[in-house]
Amino acid sequence: LVRTGGFLVTIIAVVVNIAIVWITLRSIDKIYKLLGETGSEIIASITAIIVAAIAVEYIARGIKILITI
């Protein structure tokens, strides 16, 4: 991001992300009440699938790099 957008854009992106996480964590009780237990479990499952997909991508890239060396 620094190479494509510049240092200021990178700093702004980091600050915005920190703010979003802070707001989410501060509002977690309201979010849980809104989603309920089942909704929270569904969100957790979807998040786990996304993280697993990212992990598989990293592993596949690593194996591809090792094979081409």
Side-chain angles (χ1 to χ4, degrees):
L1 188 59
V2 173
R3 291 182 186 172
T4 59
F7 186 73
L8 181 61
V9 173
T10 303
I11 295 298
I12 291 171
V14 169
V15 169
V16 168
N17 278 298
I18 290 171
I20 290 170
V21 170
W22 183 78
I23 290 168
T24 303
L25 291 175
R26 294 280 297 169
S27 307
I28 201 68
D29 290 333
K30 293 176 186 173
I31 294 170
Y32 186 76
K33 286 179 185 176
L34 178 69
L35 293 175
E37 187 174 340
T38 304
S40 296
E41 289 176 6
I42 291 169
I43 296 294
S45 297
I46 292 170
T47 304
I49 291 169
I50 292 170
V51 171
I54 293 169
V56 168
E57 179 66 26
Y58 279 135
I59 291 169
R61 283 186 190 178
I63 291 171
K64 186 176 180 181
I65 290 170
L66 286 175
I67 290 173
T68 59
I69 289 180

